[in-house]
Amino acid sequence: MATKIAILLAVLVVVVASAQAKPSRRHPLVQPRQHRGNGPRIVGGFEIDVSEAPYQVSLQYLDSHRCGGSVLNSKWVLTAAHCTVGKPEFTFSVRLGSSFHATGGTVVAVVRTIEHPNYNDVNIDYDYALLELESELTFSDVVQPVELPEQDEPVEAGTMTTVSGWGNTHSSVESNDVLRAANVPIVSQEECRKVYSAKTITDQMLCAGYQQGGKDACQGDSGGPLVSHGKLIGIVSWGAGCAQPGFPGVYSRVASVRDWVRAKSGA
């Protein structure tokens, strides 16, 4: 009897060890930036009123903030595929026209989600999702569609951009309620590929941030807008930590799928 128990315990140890040793399918640096329950805010940014980013929405999952998004027209919002994939439409809604992710503005149910057909959960490539809203939006000074680039429209390295959302601030003294933004410059594809590797950074991605770190999107910002001169050029996607020196944030390049967005949403 003792021998049988010893054998069973040995088998259990092997099974547990094997489970713990199983490698992740995802590249170790690829950390999606959806909400992880650790307080939603931008790192190194500043508070803004939603009227300064009237295209910004909070994507709510079961009535709690999960990700950001951008208004495209009266019926469609653009966000990140990793925010919606594998979850039914009825679990989602969007809050618009509020500087707060939990109160105010208008909440509209999502009736359909369309992830890009080439979305890759391993390296977060083609990280785009369209949300069809239950009812048409009424535009105002706090709810407006964002301008979109043309297909394959280039973005020059050094271009200043603004990222906004309710993502983690890494600061216990900053409110986790109000919309925040940070200004970050575009990093060239060549430089970004040196940091993350040529295979990791695809043509559907672009990078933004400072070499010294300090300003970045973070968990809770995923799907939110990266805007330059009023034009949506990127969607918050992933990064190595948040605001880490030498590691810029990685965004889904909107110009790469402009034709797909137009075909599916009319925007």
PDB file of all heavy atoms in Angstrom, residues 42-79:
ATOM      1  N   ILE A  42      -3.211  55.812 -17.588  1.00  0.00           N
ATOM      2  CA  ILE A  42      -2.025  56.078 -18.407  1.00  0.00           C
ATOM      3  C   ILE A  42      -0.823  56.317 -17.484  1.00  0.00           C
ATOM      4  O   ILE A  42      -0.973  56.887 -16.407  1.00  0.00           O
ATOM      5  CB  ILE A  42      -2.267  57.346 -19.274  1.00  0.00           C
ATOM      6  CG1 ILE A  42      -3.258  57.039 -20.406  1.00  0.00           C
ATOM      7  CG2 ILE A  42      -0.987  57.938 -19.806  1.00  0.00           C
ATOM      8  CD1 ILE A  42      -2.657  56.507 -21.663  1.00  0.00           C
ATOM      9  N   VAL A  43       0.370  55.929 -17.916  1.00  0.00           N
ATOM     10  CA  VAL A  43       1.593  56.171 -17.134  1.00  0.00           C
ATOM     11  C   VAL A  43       2.238  57.475 -17.589  1.00  0.00           C
ATOM     12  O   VAL A  43       2.422  57.706 -18.781  1.00  0.00           O
ATOM     13  CB  VAL A  43       2.600  55.020 -17.311  1.00  0.00           C
ATOM     14  CG1 VAL A  43       3.896  55.330 -16.599  1.00  0.00           C
ATOM     15  CG2 VAL A  43       2.009  53.718 -16.787  1.00  0.00           C
ATOM     16  N   GLY A  44       2.590  58.325 -16.618  1.00  0.00           N
ATOM     17  CA  GLY A  44       3.335  59.550 -16.920  1.00  0.00           C
ATOM     18  C   GLY A  44       2.557  60.589 -17.686  1.00  0.00           C
ATOM     19  O   GLY A  44       3.140  61.420 -18.383  1.00  0.00           O
ATOM     20  N   GLY A  45       1.236  60.578 -17.562  1.00  0.00           N
ATOM     21  CA  GLY A  45       0.415  61.500 -18.343  1.00  0.00           C
ATOM     22  C   GLY A  45      -0.232  62.584 -17.511  1.00  0.00           C
ATOM     23  O   GLY A  45       0.238  62.939 -16.432  1.00  0.00           O
ATOM     24  N   PHE A  46      -1.334  63.095 -18.033  1.00  0.00           N
ATOM     25  CA  PHE A  46      -2.041  64.204 -17.402  1.00  0.00           C
ATOM     26  C   PHE A  46      -3.534  64.025 -17.636  1.00  0.00           C
ATOM     27  O   PHE A  46      -3.965  63.406 -18.616  1.00  0.00           O
ATOM     28  CB  PHE A  46      -1.573  65.540 -17.997  1.00  0.00           C
ATOM     29  CG  PHE A  46      -1.510  65.536 -19.510  1.00  0.00           C
ATOM     30  CD1 PHE A  46      -2.610  65.902 -20.281  1.00  0.00           C
ATOM     31  CD2 PHE A  46      -0.347  65.148 -20.160  1.00  0.00           C
ATOM     32  CE1 PHE A  46      -2.553  65.884 -21.668  1.00  0.00           C
ATOM     33  CE2 PHE A  46      -0.271  65.137 -21.551  1.00  0.00           C
ATOM     34  CZ  PHE A  46      -1.380  65.503 -22.307  1.00  0.00           C
ATOM     35  N   GLU A  47      -4.332  64.554 -16.717  1.00  0.00           N
ATOM     36  CA  GLU A  47      -5.779  64.458 -16.858  1.00  0.00           C
ATOM     37  C   GLU A  47      -6.273  65.326 -18.013  1.00  0.00           C
ATOM     38  O   GLU A  47      -5.764  66.414 -18.256  1.00  0.00           O
ATOM     39  CB  GLU A  47      -6.469  64.910 -15.568  1.00  0.00           C
ATOM     40  CG  GLU A  47      -6.357  63.935 -14.420  1.00  0.00           C
ATOM     41  CD  GLU A  47      -7.224  64.325 -13.239  1.00  0.00           C
ATOM     42  OE1 GLU A  47      -7.988  65.314 -13.355  1.00  0.00           O
ATOM     43  OE2 GLU A  47      -7.127  63.653 -12.191  1.00  0.00           O
ATOM     44  N   ILE A  48      -7.269  64.798 -18.733  1.00  0.00           N
ATOM     45  CA  ILE A  48      -7.922  65.585 -19.775  1.00  0.00           C
ATOM     46  C   ILE A  48      -9.433  65.430 -19.634  1.00  0.00           C
ATOM     47  O   ILE A  48      -9.915  64.476 -19.032  1.00  0.00           O
ATOM     48  CB  ILE A  48      -7.493  65.159 -21.198  1.00  0.00           C
ATOM     49  CG1 ILE A  48      -7.901  63.702 -21.480  1.00  0.00           C
ATOM     50  CG2 ILE A  48      -6.016  65.373 -21.413  1.00  0.00           C
ATOM     51  CD1 ILE A  48      -7.720  63.294 -22.937  1.00  0.00           C
ATOM     52  N   ASP A  49     -10.154  66.382 -20.203  1.00  0.00           N
ATOM     53  CA  ASP A  49     -11.603  66.274 -20.294  1.00  0.00           C
ATOM     54  C   ASP A  49     -11.933  65.515 -21.573  1.00  0.00           C
ATOM     55  O   ASP A  49     -11.209  65.618 -22.569  1.00  0.00           O
ATOM     56  CB  ASP A  49     -12.243  67.658 -20.328  1.00  0.00           C
ATOM     57  CG  ASP A  49     -13.757  67.576 -20.255  1.00  0.00           C
ATOM     58  OD1 ASP A  49     -14.292  67.453 -19.132  1.00  0.00           O
ATOM     59  OD2 ASP A  49     -14.405  67.618 -21.322  1.00  0.00           O
ATOM     60  N   VAL A  50     -13.010  64.756 -21.556  1.00  0.00           N
ATOM     61  CA  VAL A  50     -13.360  63.962 -22.728  1.00  0.00           C
ATOM     62  C   VAL A  50     -13.610  64.834 -23.959  1.00  0.00           C
ATOM     63  O   VAL A  50     -13.467  64.374 -25.097  1.00  0.00           O
ATOM     64  CB  VAL A  50     -14.580  63.061 -22.432  1.00  0.00           C
ATOM     65  CG1 VAL A  50     -15.855  63.891 -22.304  1.00  0.00           C
ATOM     66  CG2 VAL A  50     -14.727  61.970 -23.482  1.00  0.00           C
ATOM     67  N   SER A  51     -13.925  66.103 -23.755  1.00  0.00           N
ATOM     68  CA  SER A  51     -14.113  67.007 -24.899  1.00  0.00           C
ATOM     69  C   SER A  51     -12.819  67.231 -25.670  1.00  0.00           C
ATOM     70  O   SER A  51     -12.842  67.642 -26.832  1.00  0.00           O
ATOM     71  CB  SER A  51     -14.674  68.352 -24.424  1.00  0.00           C
ATOM     72  OG  SER A  51     -13.763  68.993 -23.541  1.00  0.00           O
ATOM     73  N   GLU A  52     -11.673  66.933 -25.040  1.00  0.00           N
ATOM     74  CA  GLU A  52     -10.388  67.036 -25.721  1.00  0.00           C
ATOM     75  C   GLU A  52     -10.076  65.779 -26.529  1.00  0.00           C
ATOM     76  O   GLU A  52      -9.165  65.780 -27.359  1.00  0.00           O
ATOM     77  CB  GLU A  52      -9.275  67.266 -24.698  1.00  0.00           C
ATOM     78  CG  GLU A  52      -9.431  68.542 -23.887  1.00  0.00           C
ATOM     79  CD  GLU A  52      -8.386  68.651 -22.802  1.00  0.00           C
ATOM     80  OE1 GLU A  52      -7.197  68.818 -23.139  1.00  0.00           O
ATOM     81  OE2 GLU A  52      -8.753  68.551 -21.613  1.00  0.00           O
ATOM     82  N   ALA A  53     -10.827  64.719 -26.293  1.00  0.00           N
ATOM     83  CA  ALA A  53     -10.701  63.470 -27.057  1.00  0.00           C
ATOM     84  C   ALA A  53     -12.109  62.879 -27.192  1.00  0.00           C
ATOM     85  O   ALA A  53     -12.403  61.802 -26.666  1.00  0.00           O
ATOM     86  CB  ALA A  53      -9.773  62.489 -26.354  1.00  0.00           C
ATOM     87  N   PRO A  54     -13.012  63.570 -27.898  1.00  0.00           N
ATOM     88  CA  PRO A  54     -14.427  63.178 -27.918  1.00  0.00           C
ATOM     89  C   PRO A  54     -14.701  61.860 -28.631  1.00  0.00           C
ATOM     90  O   PRO A  54     -15.832  61.357 -28.563  1.00  0.00           O
ATOM     91  CB  PRO A  54     -15.105  64.352 -28.646  1.00  0.00           C
ATOM     92  CG  PRO A  54     -14.020  64.935 -29.498  1.00  0.00           C
ATOM     93  CD  PRO A  54     -12.758  64.786 -28.689  1.00  0.00           C
ATOM     94  N   TYR A  55     -13.684  61.306 -29.265  1.00  0.00           N
ATOM     95  CA  TYR A  55     -13.803  59.989 -29.918  1.00  0.00           C
ATOM     96  C   TYR A  55     -13.529  58.854 -28.943  1.00  0.00           C
ATOM     97  O   TYR A  55     -13.776  57.689 -29.246  1.00  0.00           O
ATOM     98  CB  TYR A  55     -12.797  59.911 -31.072  1.00  0.00           C
ATOM     99  CG  TYR A  55     -11.457  60.507 -30.719  1.00  0.00           C
ATOM    100  CD1 TYR A  55     -10.534  59.811 -29.952  1.00  0.00           C
ATOM    101  CD2 TYR A  55     -11.147  61.817 -31.105  1.00  0.00           C
ATOM    102  CE1 TYR A  55      -9.337  60.378 -29.579  1.00  0.00           C
ATOM    103  CE2 TYR A  55      -9.935  62.393 -30.737  1.00  0.00           C
ATOM    104  CZ  TYR A  55      -9.042  61.679 -29.979  1.00  0.00           C
ATOM    105  OH  TYR A  55      -7.854  62.252 -29.599  1.00  0.00           O
ATOM    106  N   GLN A  56     -13.016  59.165 -27.756  1.00  0.00           N
ATOM    107  CA  GLN A  56     -12.613  58.150 -26.772  1.00  0.00           C
ATOM    108  C   GLN A  56     -13.832  57.475 -26.144  1.00  0.00           C
ATOM    109  O   GLN A  56     -14.782  58.141 -25.726  1.00  0.00           O
ATOM    110  CB  GLN A  56     -11.784  58.800 -25.668  1.00  0.00           C
ATOM    111  CG  GLN A  56     -11.431  57.870 -24.515  1.00  0.00           C
ATOM    112  CD  GLN A  56     -10.190  57.053 -24.772  1.00  0.00           C
ATOM    113  OE1 GLN A  56      -9.165  57.598 -25.156  1.00  0.00           O
ATOM    114  NE2 GLN A  56     -10.286  55.750 -24.558  1.00  0.00           N
ATOM    115  N   VAL A  57     -13.793  56.146 -26.063  1.00  0.00           N
ATOM    116  CA  VAL A  57     -14.831  55.417 -25.338  1.00  0.00           C
ATOM    117  C   VAL A  57     -14.176  54.461 -24.349  1.00  0.00           C
ATOM    118  O   VAL A  57     -13.009  54.081 -24.490  1.00  0.00           O
ATOM    119  CB  VAL A  57     -15.754  54.607 -26.284  1.00  0.00           C
ATOM    120  CG1 VAL A  57     -16.266  55.472 -27.412  1.00  0.00           C
ATOM    121  CG2 VAL A  57     -15.052  53.364 -26.833  1.00  0.00           C
ATOM    122  N   SER A  58     -14.948  54.075 -23.363  1.00  0.00           N
ATOM    123  CA  SER A  58     -14.559  52.987 -22.460  1.00  0.00           C
ATOM    124  C   SER A  58     -15.322  51.744 -22.894  1.00  0.00           C
ATOM    125  O   SER A  58     -16.558  51.745 -22.910  1.00  0.00           O
ATOM    126  CB  SER A  58     -14.898  53.323 -21.005  1.00  0.00           C
ATOM    127  OG  SER A  58     -14.818  52.168 -20.185  1.00  0.00           O
ATOM    128  N   LEU A  59     -14.597  50.701 -23.261  1.00  0.00           N
ATOM    129  CA  LEU A  59     -15.234  49.428 -23.589  1.00  0.00           C
ATOM    130  C   LEU A  59     -15.483  48.693 -22.282  1.00  0.00           C
ATOM    131  O   LEU A  59     -14.552  48.369 -21.540  1.00  0.00           O
ATOM    132  CB  LEU A  59     -14.340  48.604 -24.510  1.00  0.00           C
ATOM    133  CG  LEU A  59     -14.839  47.185 -24.840  1.00  0.00           C
ATOM    134  CD1 LEU A  59     -16.209  47.236 -25.507  1.00  0.00           C
ATOM    135  CD2 LEU A  59     -13.833  46.462 -25.722  1.00  0.00           C
ATOM    136  N   GLN A  60     -16.755  48.438 -21.993  1.00  0.00           N
ATOM    137  CA  GLN A  60     -17.159  47.806 -20.750  1.00  0.00           C
ATOM    138  C   GLN A  60     -17.444  46.326 -20.980  1.00  0.00           C
ATOM    139  O   GLN A  60     -18.152  45.964 -21.922  1.00  0.00           O
ATOM    140  CB  GLN A  60     -18.425  48.485 -20.215  1.00  0.00           C
ATOM    141  CG  GLN A  60     -18.355  50.003 -20.156  1.00  0.00           C
ATOM    142  CD  GLN A  60     -17.965  50.508 -18.791  1.00  0.00           C
ATOM    143  OE1 GLN A  60     -18.571  50.169 -17.788  1.00  0.00           O
ATOM    144  NE2 GLN A  60     -16.950  51.351 -18.755  1.00  0.00           N
ATOM    145  N   TYR A  61     -16.875  45.488 -20.133  1.00  0.00           N
ATOM    146  CA  TYR A  61     -17.137  44.047 -20.166  1.00  0.00           C
ATOM    147  C   TYR A  61     -17.872  43.681 -18.886  1.00  0.00           C
ATOM    148  O   TYR A  61     -17.349  43.886 -17.792  1.00  0.00           O
ATOM    149  CB  TYR A  61     -15.822  43.280 -20.277  1.00  0.00           C
ATOM    150  CG  TYR A  61     -15.957  41.779 -20.158  1.00  0.00           C
ATOM    151  CD1 TYR A  61     -16.671  41.047 -21.106  1.00  0.00           C
ATOM    152  CD2 TYR A  61     -15.369  41.103 -19.096  1.00  0.00           C
ATOM    153  CE1 TYR A  61     -16.801  39.676 -20.998  1.00  0.00           C
ATOM    154  CE2 TYR A  61     -15.488  39.720 -18.987  1.00  0.00           C
ATOM    155  CZ  TYR A  61     -16.198  39.013 -19.939  1.00  0.00           C
ATOM    156  OH  TYR A  61     -16.321  37.643 -19.831  1.00  0.00           O
ATOM    157  N   LEU A  62     -19.112  43.221 -19.031  1.00  0.00           N
ATOM    158  CA  LEU A  62     -19.962  42.930 -17.864  1.00  0.00           C
ATOM    159  C   LEU A  62     -20.012  44.138 -16.934  1.00  0.00           C
ATOM    160  O   LEU A  62     -19.859  44.039 -15.715  1.00  0.00           O
ATOM    161  CB  LEU A  62     -19.451  41.690 -17.122  1.00  0.00           C
ATOM    162  CG  LEU A  62     -19.459  40.388 -17.942  1.00  0.00           C
ATOM    163  CD1 LEU A  62     -18.856  39.249 -17.136  1.00  0.00           C
ATOM    164  CD2 LEU A  62     -20.878  40.036 -18.390  1.00  0.00           C
ATOM    165  N   ASP A  63     -20.183  45.306 -17.546  1.00  0.00           N
ATOM    166  CA  ASP A  63     -20.386  46.588 -16.844  1.00  0.00           C
ATOM    167  C   ASP A  63     -19.154  47.114 -16.113  1.00  0.00           C
ATOM    168  O   ASP A  63     -19.278  47.993 -15.260  1.00  0.00           O
ATOM    169  CB  ASP A  63     -21.560  46.493 -15.858  1.00  0.00           C
ATOM    170  CG  ASP A  63     -22.872  46.166 -16.549  1.00  0.00           C
ATOM    171  OD1 ASP A  63     -23.086  46.671 -17.666  1.00  0.00           O
ATOM    172  OD2 ASP A  63     -23.674  45.398 -15.987  1.00  0.00           O
ATOM    173  N   SER A  64     -17.975  46.597 -16.420  1.00  0.00           N
ATOM    174  CA  SER A  64     -16.740  47.117 -15.842  1.00  0.00           C
ATOM    175  C   SER A  64     -15.763  47.482 -16.956  1.00  0.00           C
ATOM    176  O   SER A  64     -15.694  46.785 -17.980  1.00  0.00           O
ATOM    177  CB  SER A  64     -16.091  46.075 -14.921  1.00  0.00           C
ATOM    178  OG  SER A  64     -16.901  45.835 -13.796  1.00  0.00           O
ATOM    179  N   HIS A  65     -14.988  48.547 -16.741  1.00  0.00           N
ATOM    180  CA  HIS A  65     -14.027  48.976 -17.755  1.00  0.00           C
ATOM    181  C   HIS A  65     -13.034  47.869 -18.073  1.00  0.00           C
ATOM    182  O   HIS A  65     -12.462  47.252 -17.173  1.00  0.00           O
ATOM    183  CB  HIS A  65     -13.260  50.212 -17.274  1.00  0.00           C
ATOM    184  CG  HIS A  65     -12.164  50.621 -18.210  1.00  0.00           C
ATOM    185  ND1 HIS A  65     -12.408  51.246 -19.401  1.00  0.00           N
ATOM    186  CD2 HIS A  65     -10.818  50.457 -18.135  1.00  0.00           C
ATOM    187  CE1 HIS A  65     -11.255  51.474 -20.025  1.00  0.00           C
ATOM    188  NE2 HIS A  65     -10.274  50.991 -19.270  1.00  0.00           N
ATOM    189  N   ARG A  66     -12.839  47.626 -19.359  1.00  0.00           N
ATOM    190  CA  ARG A  66     -11.879  46.623 -19.804  1.00  0.00           C
ATOM    191  C   ARG A  66     -10.828  47.219 -20.715  1.00  0.00           C
ATOM    192  O   ARG A  66      -9.641  46.951 -20.566  1.00  0.00           O
ATOM    193  CB  ARG A  66     -12.598  45.481 -20.522  1.00  0.00           C
ATOM    194  CG  ARG A  66     -11.661  44.411 -21.091  1.00  0.00           C
ATOM    195  CD  ARG A  66     -12.436  43.250 -21.669  1.00  0.00           C
ATOM    196  NE  ARG A  66     -11.567  42.271 -22.308  1.00  0.00           N
ATOM    197  CZ  ARG A  66     -10.923  41.305 -21.662  1.00  0.00           C
ATOM    198  NH1 ARG A  66     -11.043  41.206 -20.349  1.00  0.00           N
ATOM    199  NH2 ARG A  66     -10.164  40.442 -22.306  1.00  0.00           N
ATOM    200  N   CYS A  67     -11.266  48.023 -21.695  1.00  0.00           N
ATOM    201  CA  CYS A  67     -10.365  48.559 -22.719  1.00  0.00           C
ATOM    202  C   CYS A  67     -10.869  49.926 -23.161  1.00  0.00           C
ATOM    203  O   CYS A  67     -11.922  50.392 -22.725  1.00  0.00           O
ATOM    204  CB  CYS A  67     -10.316  47.623 -23.935  1.00  0.00           C
ATOM    205  SG  CYS A  67      -9.410  46.072 -23.682  1.00  0.00           S
ATOM    206  N   GLY A  68     -10.114  50.550 -24.038  1.00  0.00           N
ATOM    207  CA  GLY A  68     -10.543  51.772 -24.680  1.00  0.00           C
ATOM    208  C   GLY A  68     -11.043  51.492 -26.094  1.00  0.00           C
ATOM    209  O   GLY A  68     -11.071  50.343 -26.542  1.00  0.00           O
ATOM    210  N   GLY A  69     -11.408  52.539 -26.779  1.00  0.00           N
ATOM    211  CA  GLY A  69     -11.865  52.428 -28.165  1.00  0.00           C
ATOM    212  C   GLY A  69     -12.065  53.805 -28.747  1.00  0.00           C
ATOM    213  O   GLY A  69     -11.989  54.810 -28.035  1.00  0.00           O
ATOM    214  N   SER A  70     -12.323  53.850 -30.059  1.00  0.00           N
ATOM    215  CA  SER A  70     -12.487  55.122 -30.769  1.00  0.00           C
ATOM    216  C   SER A  70     -13.751  55.095 -31.618  1.00  0.00           C
ATOM    217  O   SER A  70     -14.003  54.115 -32.332  1.00  0.00           O
ATOM    218  CB  SER A  70     -11.282  55.398 -31.668  1.00  0.00           C
ATOM    219  OG  SER A  70     -10.083  55.438 -30.925  1.00  0.00           O
ATOM    220  N   VAL A  71     -14.524  56.166 -31.559  1.00  0.00           N
ATOM    221  CA  VAL A  71     -15.733  56.301 -32.359  1.00  0.00           C
ATOM    222  C   VAL A  71     -15.351  56.519 -33.821  1.00  0.00           C
ATOM    223  O   VAL A  71     -14.572  57.422 -34.141  1.00  0.00           O
ATOM    224  CB  VAL A  71     -16.598  57.482 -31.870  1.00  0.00           C
ATOM    225  CG1 VAL A  71     -17.808  57.676 -32.784  1.00  0.00           C
ATOM    226  CG2 VAL A  71     -17.034  57.267 -30.425  1.00  0.00           C
ATOM    227  N   LEU A  72     -15.918  55.684 -34.711  1.00  0.00           N
ATOM    228  CA  LEU A  72     -15.665  55.825 -36.151  1.00  0.00           C
ATOM    229  C   LEU A  72     -16.791  56.570 -36.856  1.00  0.00           C
ATOM    230  O   LEU A  72     -16.542  57.395 -37.733  1.00  0.00           O
ATOM    231  CB  LEU A  72     -15.505  54.442 -36.793  1.00  0.00           C
ATOM    232  CG  LEU A  72     -14.345  53.586 -36.301  1.00  0.00           C
ATOM    233  CD1 LEU A  72     -14.318  52.279 -37.079  1.00  0.00           C
ATOM    234  CD2 LEU A  72     -13.013  54.322 -36.445  1.00  0.00           C
ATOM    235  N   ASN A  73     -18.008  56.229 -36.510  1.00  0.00           N
ATOM    236  CA  ASN A  73     -19.188  56.909 -37.040  1.00  0.00           C
ATOM    237  C   ASN A  73     -20.340  56.659 -36.067  1.00  0.00           C
ATOM    238  O   ASN A  73     -20.107  56.232 -34.933  1.00  0.00           O
ATOM    239  CB  ASN A  73     -19.515  56.450 -38.478  1.00  0.00           C
ATOM    240  CG  ASN A  73     -19.708  54.943 -38.595  1.00  0.00           C
ATOM    241  OD1 ASN A  73     -20.101  54.274 -37.631  1.00  0.00           O
ATOM    242  ND2 ASN A  73     -19.429  54.390 -39.767  1.00  0.00           N
ATOM    243  N   SER A  74     -21.568  56.892 -36.478  1.00  0.00           N
ATOM    244  CA  SER A  74     -22.684  56.821 -35.532  1.00  0.00           C
ATOM    245  C   SER A  74     -23.022  55.407 -35.080  1.00  0.00           C
ATOM    246  O   SER A  74     -23.805  55.226 -34.136  1.00  0.00           O
ATOM    247  CB  SER A  74     -23.929  57.470 -36.154  1.00  0.00           C
ATOM    248  OG  SER A  74     -24.320  56.757 -37.319  1.00  0.00           O
ATOM    249  N   LYS A  75     -22.440  54.388 -35.718  1.00  0.00           N
ATOM    250  CA  LYS A  75     -22.781  53.008 -35.367  1.00  0.00           C
ATOM    251  C   LYS A  75     -21.584  52.116 -35.036  1.00  0.00           C
ATOM    252  O   LYS A  75     -21.778  50.978 -34.593  1.00  0.00           O
ATOM    253  CB  LYS A  75     -23.563  52.365 -36.522  1.00  0.00           C
ATOM    254  CG  LYS A  75     -25.011  52.798 -36.623  1.00  0.00           C
ATOM    255  CD  LYS A  75     -25.884  52.137 -35.564  1.00  0.00           C
ATOM    256  CE  LYS A  75     -26.172  50.682 -35.910  1.00  0.00           C
ATOM    257  NZ  LYS A  75     -27.109  50.067 -34.924  1.00  0.00           N
ATOM    258  N   TRP A  76     -20.361  52.609 -35.224  1.00  0.00           N
ATOM    259  CA  TRP A  76     -19.208  51.729 -35.095  1.00  0.00           C
ATOM    260  C   TRP A  76     -18.094  52.337 -34.257  1.00  0.00           C
ATOM    261  O   TRP A  76     -17.830  53.533 -34.311  1.00  0.00           O
ATOM    262  CB  TRP A  76     -18.649  51.365 -36.472  1.00  0.00           C
ATOM    263  CG  TRP A  76     -19.561  50.503 -37.289  1.00  0.00           C
ATOM    264  CD1 TRP A  76     -20.555  50.927 -38.135  1.00  0.00           C
ATOM    265  CD2 TRP A  76     -19.582  49.073 -37.327  1.00  0.00           C
ATOM    266  NE1 TRP A  76     -21.179  49.848 -38.692  1.00  0.00           N
ATOM    267  CE2 TRP A  76     -20.606  48.693 -38.224  1.00  0.00           C
ATOM    268  CE3 TRP A  76     -18.827  48.080 -36.699  1.00  0.00           C
ATOM    269  CZ2 TRP A  76     -20.896  47.362 -38.501  1.00  0.00           C
ATOM    270  CZ3 TRP A  76     -19.114  46.749 -36.971  1.00  0.00           C
ATOM    271  CH2 TRP A  76     -20.134  46.400 -37.864  1.00  0.00           C
ATOM    272  N   VAL A  77     -17.430  51.451 -33.502  1.00  0.00           N
ATOM    273  CA  VAL A  77     -16.274  51.797 -32.678  1.00  0.00           C
ATOM    274  C   VAL A  77     -15.142  50.852 -33.052  1.00  0.00           C
ATOM    275  O   VAL A  77     -15.366  49.672 -33.347  1.00  0.00           O
ATOM    276  CB  VAL A  77     -16.618  51.654 -31.169  1.00  0.00           C
ATOM    277  CG1 VAL A  77     -15.361  51.642 -30.305  1.00  0.00           C
ATOM    278  CG2 VAL A  77     -17.555  52.780 -30.735  1.00  0.00           C
ATOM    279  N   LEU A  78     -13.913  51.359 -33.034  1.00  0.00           N
ATOM    280  CA  LEU A  78     -12.723  50.547 -33.320  1.00  0.00           C
ATOM    281  C   LEU A  78     -11.942  50.332 -32.031  1.00  0.00           C
ATOM    282  O   LEU A  78     -11.671  51.276 -31.286  1.00  0.00           O
ATOM    283  CB  LEU A  78     -11.836  51.251 -34.349  1.00  0.00           C
ATOM    284  CG  LEU A  78     -10.564  50.509 -34.810  1.00  0.00           C
ATOM    285  CD1 LEU A  78     -10.917  49.194 -35.491  1.00  0.00           C
ATOM    286  CD2 LEU A  78      -9.752  51.401 -35.744  1.00  0.00           C
ATOM    287  N   THR A  79     -11.567  49.071 -31.772  1.00  0.00           N
ATOM    288  CA  THR A  79     -10.791  48.735 -30.589  1.00  0.00           C
ATOM    289  C   THR A  79      -9.779  47.658 -30.956  1.00  0.00           C
ATOM    290  O   THR A  79      -9.499  47.438 -32.135  1.00  0.00           O
ATOM    291  CB  THR A  79     -11.716  48.293 -29.423  1.00  0.00           C
ATOM    292  OG1 THR A  79     -10.949  48.116 -28.234  1.00  0.00           O
ATOM    293  CG2 THR A  79     -12.464  47.023 -29.744  1.00  0.00           C
TER     294      THR A  79
END
